Amino acid sequence: MLAPVGLSADPAALVAAAGAGDRRALARLITIVEDDRPGALEALSLADRSSRGASRMGITGAPGAGKSTITDGLISAIRRTGTDVAVLAVDPTSPFSGGAVLGDRVRMQDHVSDGGVFIRSMASRGHLGGLSAAAPKALTMLEAAGFPEIIVETVGVGQDEVEIAEAADTTVVVLNPGWGDGIQAAKAGILEIGDVFVVNKADRPGVRDTVADLQGMLAMDEQTRWTPPVLTTVAHAGEGIDELWGEVQRHRAYLIEEGLLQARRRARRRGELETALVAAFRRSARRVLAADDGDGVAALVESGEMDPWTAAELILSRERASSG
Amino acid sequence: MLAPVGLSADPAALVAAAGAGDRRALARLITIVEDDRPGALEALSLADRSSRGASRMGITGAPGAGKSTITDGLISAIRRTGTDVAVLAVDPTSPFSGGAVLGDRVRMQDHVSDGGVFIRSMASRGHLGGLSAAAPKALTMLEAAGFPEIIVETVGVGQDEVEIAEAADTTVVVLNPGWGDGIQAAKAGILEIGDVFVVNKADRPGVRDTVADLQGMLAMDEQTRWTPPVLTTVAHAGEGIDELWGEVQRHRAYLIEEGLLQARRRARRRGELETALVAAFRRSARRVLAADDGDGVAALVESGEMDPWTAAELILSRERASSG
């Protein structure tokens, strides 16, 4: 649904309205910051200042593992406690993943009539770092709108998605029975990113081996006092979802008790600054290239007379010399 | 196999050796440019100048579609014509894709004893744009080493991989029977990126429907004189590989006849320049952040006193003011 034409575009008014529970203002704000429209920076600055600090849970896993069904179950579990919840579902715009957008998201629409639930899909589109740049902005808006619980759902097939999982306080990794052996799991790096592991579709064969494999590998990591639990769910039947929500809360309590929550959030904000700075430099790069027509370095690269990397250094040094 | 310690690290000597057929020098050069080690820029500049212009074929598709088996078959088909071939296999470092590295790549090692074949795996690792920045450099080295045929194999699940497919003259998209319907294929954007489509595992049911669906959708695009052919293969049995190689050559002839090959390569080089420029600006961003300890903007962001986006603009403007 498009925001009505009459809705004010004034960033301060929109942030105030979103904070007061106006969902259309919130949707509008996310679109503004996602597309980097006029007023985006002011809106982000205001929203960041008025943020009340949500709990952020990341859910990631391979396509088809059941992330959306689990998210759907978690929404219901959270709502039963009377708490509002927002979901940012990041769908890759990959040529091979159209299904997620078309299919799984439909189920969550059951919650559309519930004013305590806000669901936003975000495509990971465009070029370098587009996703990583936009998601933290949308999350800042959701926090400013006062949601105490935020779920970030990502398809765990690319570096972008891992980065977004890192934006969460607690990351839930969803697997299925028969997913590789323990050594492969270790090699693939999933042991490092998960705080809670879920073997979904636990009504299928092989679940016991997968759980045992994971537990064996996780027990070997003695770096922290938190050993990630391995749960089983049959998400489409609602089995195991309350237990999952309980483990997420237990992890959150652990972070607070150990004084780790603040450290995680400080590191996250520093990462957001680096991402924002890269985006700002990228805009500089595009502007420089667009203005290069007279200069001709790009033409030399296109014709093969200069290599792209030497040209980049040359443009950068000229840019610096001229911007003083 | 690691390069021997005695191998010279002088970029000019390495590029000359690689061009003369020294595979260890080539492997060393790719490592140098991939890791941005000292001498990388000089090596790239020299390699770009001595490049003899290879034909680049991209192969992309979902995990498990059979890309590596097809690549393996294409290597054999190309080698039967007496032509040398290099393969750059880009494996995402996703937490969920460890299998590709461990499994499929093993088959290609059959070609290890063949001096006319060079296979290099590259992990898509690290942060924003790491993959996109490194792959064109490795491809430049492969061209400088004189390989007339280069295959770039990528897992088509992320934007990075699509960008690398764009680095090819001819892109082959590998699907399997039953992969979605035509509308979903169109929605997912695969029709745009493929020059040749392959329905692999054609011994499975549903192949005729998948082929007909694809052909129907592809026939609707009348923007160019090239209608991408839809082939069927049973790659593990070697069926259809020669026909695929024939279609790739036919597409190449079409590009040359229509004068499109040069345009594609010019556009690719411009894209490489933009990527290189973004990487150069990113290094600036990191350097600025590392030097910010006294300045304190990063600390303000971490403590929540300033939002990351305002801080990025502030740092950028200071950087520009100080670099003149």
Side-chain angles (χ1 to χ4, degrees), chain A residues 30-44:
Chain A
I30 293 177
T31 300
I32 288 172
V33 298
E34 196 179 6
D35 295 349
D36 206 17
R37 294 187 190 177
L41 189 59
E42 185 187 348
L44 283 166

Side-chain angles (χ1 to χ4, degrees), chain A residues 83-109:
Chain A
T83 306
D84 287 356
V85 57
V87 177
L88 181 67
V90 182
D91 289 301
T93 46
S94 157
F96 303 97
S97 63
V101 180
L102 297 174
D104 301 348
R105 206 62 58 216
V106 173
R107 188 180 302 105
M108 282 195 212
Q109 302 307 322

